[in-house]
Amino acid sequence: MLNFDFYNPTRILFGKGKVAEINQHVPADARVLVLMGGNSAKTNGTLAEVKAALASRYVEEFSGIEPNPSYETLMQAVAQIKANKLDYLLAVGGGSVIDGTKFVAAAVYAEGDAWQILTTHGANVKKALPYGTVLTLPATGSEMNDGAVITREAEKAKLFFTSEKVFPQFSVLDPTKSYTLPTRQLANGVVDAYTHVMEQYLTYPVGAKVQDRFAEGLLQTLIETGPQLLENPNDYELQANLMWTATLALNGLIGAGVPSDWATHMIGHEVTALHGLDHAQTLAIILPTMLSLRRESKRAKLLQYAERVWNIREGSEEQRIEAAITKTRDFFESMQVKTRLSAYQITKEDIPALLAQLEKHGMVKLGEHGDVTLDISRTVLETSI
Ligand code: NZQ
Ligand code: ZN
């Protein structure tokens, strides 16, 4: 097992009715900004519940944070906070709203150009406003981690930052809040969480037995729960299992003491920035190809994955690896998420621009061995068509 430093201060308030407990965790004299996406939090009643829980506190709203939240929109929230002296944030939404809130929390204190938070990947964040979240879409794990991904529309740049200063103080995980999710977003959540586990599990063995078995349990839970949820989105037990699985997939626990990959995510971010695909749609395309092309360096873990997650025990090593990758692709397709670039009319002619963006963003030595060069990324993209 590798050395690690595991820190996670986020309180989780899990279950039906837990929104009311916000009242105990936001300072009584806080001047609160509630941040939201489009309309979902208003139309499904979550906003009303949140406002009731905030009781007599001074509350303002900021809505319009888009999927793949943009710097341009978020800076408007920063201006509102400064103008009205707000001092506590509450994100109500999915990963985009929570990520956007993380950026806003740090940008309020940024010296100079706030975009540098992204270009330094968070290294320059010294302080951030405190905030909590009410999660409405299980997927990203943003509700219990210190990372965020922000897009600068003007530059078509989608970059991440991490900083200990932007862990949420608390997150409400009420599984009934995701009953209203469109099928596409529910399926996206399953694929995103699955890929988060794979980025941290499917590398090379370091003898981290419990991290491996924890990761395998999360994957199996997603394989079992995902298709059932497509049929029964209002099933509390299913939603509860997805929500907690997605949180555990990226709250640092399974990534402690093991190598991690993240090449699929970094290439996926460029596909979203240039072509507008949902985050999970990019992952469903890139991950199977990535595993297939890097099967030599991932061989031991691919065999373990085949046996323990998919129960594949027959055939040669090559056949078992091939079968496990096919199962992965079929699982994503069974969740109604396409696994080819051509499904979104992206062709070979689009690949040079994607590679140029990867180069511009320094994404030239990706993966657990730093050996995913631009040449490999090109092959991955070409093979993903
Ligand atoms: O905007 P509204 O009206 O709220 O609608 C949203 C949005 O259109 C809708 N939605 C959310 N909850 C709903 C709902 N609709 C009905 N009922 C509900 N209960 O869903 C749509 C998508 O929301 P979004 O927040 O964009 O989805 P997701 O949670 O998948 O977040 C994706 C973003 O997270 C980033 C991605 O790159 C992407 O920008 N990621 C963040 C990570 C992190 N912070 O650790 C890790 C991930 O790998 C990922 O990169
Ligand atoms: Zn992701």
Side-chain angles (χ1 to χ4, degrees):
M1 197 184 301
L2 309 180
N3 291 358
F4 64 87
D5 175 343
F6 176 67
Y7 171 69
N8 195 314
T10 302
R11 178 192 300 274
I12 297 296
L13 302 164
F14 193 98
K16 195 172 190 291
K18 283 287 190 175
V19 169
E21 291 183 16
I22 289 174
N23 193 19
Q24 298 163 32
H25 300 287
V26 177
D29 59 351
R31 291 171 61 80
V32 183
L33 183 65
V34 176
L35 297 103
M36 289 164 290
N39 265 327
S40 74
K42 284 181 190 151
T43 51
N44 64 21
T46 308
L47 176 63
E49 220 177 306
V50 165
K51 286 176 93 167
L54 286 169
S56 59
R57 291 173 184 83
Y58 179 78
V59 178
E60 292 190 17
E61 293 172 22
F62 182 87
S63 57
I65 298 179
E66 53 282 86
N68 309 307
S70 80
Y71 165 83
E72 288 84 349
T73 300
L74 298 168
M75 288 310 287
Q76 296 171 27
V78 173
Q80 184 175 340
I81 290 163
K82 288 183 176 169
N84 301 340
K85 300 198 168 25
L86 308 176
D87 57 17
Y88 200 96
L89 309 181
L90 193 55
V92 181
S96 294
V97 173
I98 300 174
D99 281 11
T101 301
K102 287 175 180 172
F103 173 76
V104 168
V108 166
Y109 294 112
E111 293 163 13
D113 179 6
W115 182 245
Q116 284 176 2
I117 294 171
L118 279 306
T119 54
T120 64
H121 297 305
N124 70 344
V125 176
K126 304 214 165 50
K127 200 175 168 192
L129 280 176
Y131 76 100
T133 88
V134 176
L135 181 69
T136 64
L137 195 175
T140 64
S142 188
E143 65 278 5
M144 198 179 177
N145 70 35
D146 66 350
V149 194
I150 307 295
T151 298
R152 188 155 189 173
E153 291 291 348
E155 293 176 19
K156 295 275 174 218
K158 183 171 185 183
L159 303 182
F160 73 89
F161 84 96
T162 59
S163 166
E164 275 187 14
K165 309 286 181 213
V166 299
F167 274 107
Q169 289 192 332
F170 66 84
S171 283
V172 178
L173 274 58
D174 175 347
T176 66
K177 294 290 159 238
S178 36
Y179 286 174
T180 55
L181 278 174
T183 305
R184 171 172 144 196
Q185 299 303 344
L186 194 55
N188 279 348
V190 172
V191 170
D192 193 20
Y194 196 93
T195 309
H196 292 160
V197 180
M198 293 292 272
E199 298 270 31
Q200 300 164 92
Y201 164 74
L202 223 145
T203 57
Y204 56 89
V206 291
K209 289 177 190 288
V210 76
Q211 291 91 323
D212 278 5
R213 291 202 162 88
F214 208 160
E216 288 152 0
L218 296 175
L219 294 172
Q220 287 180 317
T221 305
L222 292 167
I223 292 165
E224 190 179 293
T225 311
Q228 292 174 8
L229 261 170
L230 291 186
E231 301 294 319
N232 304 296
N234 291 357
D235 183 307
Y236 183 84
E237 288 305 327
L238 293 175
Q239 287 284 9
N241 278 291
L242 173 60
M243 200 167 251
W244 190 224
T245 301
T247 301
L248 289 169
L250 198 51
N251 72 347
L253 192 60
I254 64 166
V258 299
S260 57
D261 184 339
W262 298 111
T264 294
H265 267 71
M266 294 307 130
I267 298 176
H269 289 166
E270 304 300 352
V271 177
T272 295
L274 290 192
H275 298 279
L277 273 66
D278 293 346
H279 172 61
Q281 291 172 339
T282 70
L283 307 176
I285 295 165
I286 311 273
L287 181 68
T289 322
M290 190 69 90
L291 297 177
S292 183
L293 289 170
R294 291 165 64 202
R295 68 179 66 195
E296 279 321 311
S297 66
K298 290 180 179 290
R299 171 168 289 269
K301 272 309 201 41
L302 278 167
L303 288 165
Q304 182 178 322
Y305 169 64
E307 181 177 332
R308 293 204 200 161
V309 175
W310 292 107
N311 204 18
I312 299 167
R313 292 157 197 274
E314 308 281 311
S316 66
E317 289 194 351
E318 215 37 50
Q319 286 167 333
R320 280 178 273 153
I321 288 173
E322 195 58 43
I325 296 171
T326 302
K327 288 268 189 197
T328 309
R329 186 183 291 282
D330 290 350
F331 173 59
F332 293 161
E333 292 278 353
S334 79
M335 291 304 299
Q336 304 171 18
V337 186
K338 301 281 176 225
T339 60
R340 292 285 171 195
L341 287 170
S342 52
Y344 303 94
Q345 289 73 51
I346 297 174
T347 66
K348 203 166 176 204
E349 283 68 54
D350 296 308
I351 292 176
L354 290 165
L355 294 170
Q357 290 289 83
L358 281 170
E359 187 168 20
K360 187 172 162 194
H361 299 143
M363 303 294 171
V364 295
K365 286 184 185 168
L366 299 171
E368 63 271 23
H369 299 292
D371 60 355
V372 181
T373 58
L374 280 184
D375 270 347
I376 308 274
S377 293
R378 176 184 294 110
T379 312
V380 168
L381 285 162
E382 287 176 356
T383 316
S384 299
I385 292 171

